Structures are given as structure tokens and as C-alpha cells.
Amino acid sequence: MAGEHVFVSHAQRDLEFVQELFSTVKNFPFGVHIALEEADSERARRRLEGRIANSDVLVAVLTEHAATSSWVDQEVGYALAKGIPVVPVYDDPSLRGGFLADHEGVEIDRADVTRTIFELLSALRRELAPLGALSVPDWYVRFPCTVPDCGHPVTLTLEETQSKLRKRSEHGQLLETACEVCDSTYAFEPSTIGFVRRTGGPA
């Protein structure tokens, strides 16, 4: 799955919320480009077009702010014209109109952002590594061990389907991985792949 690119289209005023949604998604080994500012020159427009054209998926965060953003409209339209899959992430189903009306998406739950992040990860897993009947895509998060003077690469591999990860979360069963050098153990929340704690390691 390494090497894929995700472009996130959103209204400027939703930037903080978008960053929260993608806080753990950005830990996976694929590129995530969150549009931070409007293009204000021909050169910037060409660069933006290039980022979208080279993306494997475009995530459109559709809110009331996005409904009045010409940039979100243009970015979604450009992606659709290039045949790039678009995943709508929306506050209200009515915001998923036009060419996106028939696209499967993720409804935002402002009261439970964790669930929204889980559904977003599910949608990205479907688009970037479709689940086969007999196999599960090999997703992983790699990070340096945080034990002082260690820094060895640690990998958390996701071999389970999203539904199984959800069940683990509901039963309080964390995902764990260990550093092969210092034996410290890292625990993660299954729904969002958010870091929970580190235990063990050198005394």
C-alpha cells in the first residue's frame, strides 16, 4: 500500500476539524495532502492540479462552509473528470449532491469524532486496498521507538478487517506491537489507530 496519495479537499474554515480527522490517518505509509490555502496564482493552480491528478483518492469534506467554496467544487470536479475516486465526508446527506449523490461516503458525527475517523479509515481501506474474499490488505504504521537511546523502527501491522477492529474496540482490546531491540510494548486504539501507551523496555 505504500506510495498511494490522498488529496483532501475542504473549506478553509474547516481546516482545524480536517486536521483532527486525519491526525492518525497521516501515520499510514501513504501521502496525505490537506489543501491549506486557496491557489492565488497560475503556477499554484498548476501545482494543485498536479497533486490531484497524481492522487489515488480525493476526500471531499462537505460542510456548510464547503457548500459555498468554489475551490472544493473545482477540486471535486477535476478529480471526477480525471477518473479519480472521490469519498465524500459530509455533515448532512443534502450536501452530497450533484455528481456525488451516488457516491458512498462517510457521515460526520460531531458528537463522536472517533466513529467518524473509523468510518473514514474504512472508506480509505476500501479504495486503496480493496478487500479480497480470502485476504486482508496489509496496512501498517511505522514509527521510531520512543525509549531514550533506542529509536529502532517499530511496526504495527493491521491484518484484521475494519469490522473486527471495531469489535476489538468495543471490547476494550487494544492493538499491541513491540520494539525488537528494547522489548518495550506499544498499545493502540483499534478504531482510530490512535496511540494509547508504551510499557516495558529497559529499567
Side-chain angles (χ1 to χ4, degrees), residues 7 47-56 58 74-76 78-79 82 84:
F7 185 95
R47 190 165 57 245
L48 190 64
E49 288 175 5
R51 283 189 176 130
I52 297 173
N54 291 320
S55 294
D56 297 280
L58 182 139
Q74 290 178 45
E75 289 160 4
V76 169
Y78 186 77
K82 291 288 185 182
I84 297 165

Side-chain angles (χ1 to χ4, degrees), residues 32-166:
V32 176
H33 176 78
I34 297 175
L36 296 177
E37 58 189 9
E38 295 180 354
D40 57 4
S41 69
E42 198 60 40
R43 183 177 177 186
R45 287 190 187 95
R46 282 196 299 270
R47 190 165 57 245
L48 190 64
E49 288 175 5
R51 283 189 176 130
I52 297 173
N54 291 320
S55 294
D56 297 280
V57 178
L58 182 139
V59 176
V61 182
L62 307 176
T63 64
E64 289 185 8
H65 301 309
T68 58
S69 169
S70 61
W71 284 104
V72 172
D73 276 347
Q74 290 178 45
E75 289 160 4
V76 169
Y78 186 77
L80 291 172
K82 291 288 185 182
I84 297 165
V86 175
V87 175
V89 177
Y90 50 91
D91 265 327
D92 187 277
S94 65
L95 296 169
R96 190 181 45 148
F99 288 115
L100 294 180
D102 297 326
H103 282 62
E104 186 177 353
V106 175
E107 187 163 2
I108 297 169
D109 185 346
R110 299 275 180 170
D112 187 0
V113 177
T114 294
R115 181 169 187 82
T116 306
I117 294 171
F118 170 79
E119 296 295 344
L120 173 59
L121 281 170
S122 298
L124 289 174
R125 286 185 82 170
R126 283 194 301 271
E127 292 294 340
L128 294 176
L131 294 172
L134 300 175
S135 63
V136 177
D138 196 23
W139 277 42
Y140 63 91
V141 174
R142 184 166 293 141
F143 55 94
C145 180
T146 58
V147 171
D149 300 322
C150 183
H152 184 76
V154 181
T155 302
L156 171 70
T157 302
L158 301 183
E159 299 175 337
E160 297 173 287
T161 62
Q162 286 297 106
S163 60
K164 287 184 178 178
L165 290 176
R166 175 53 109 181

Side-chain angles (χ1 to χ4, degrees), residues 5 51 53 67 99 132 177 192:
H5 294 278
R51 283 189 176 130
F99 288 115
T177 189
T192 63

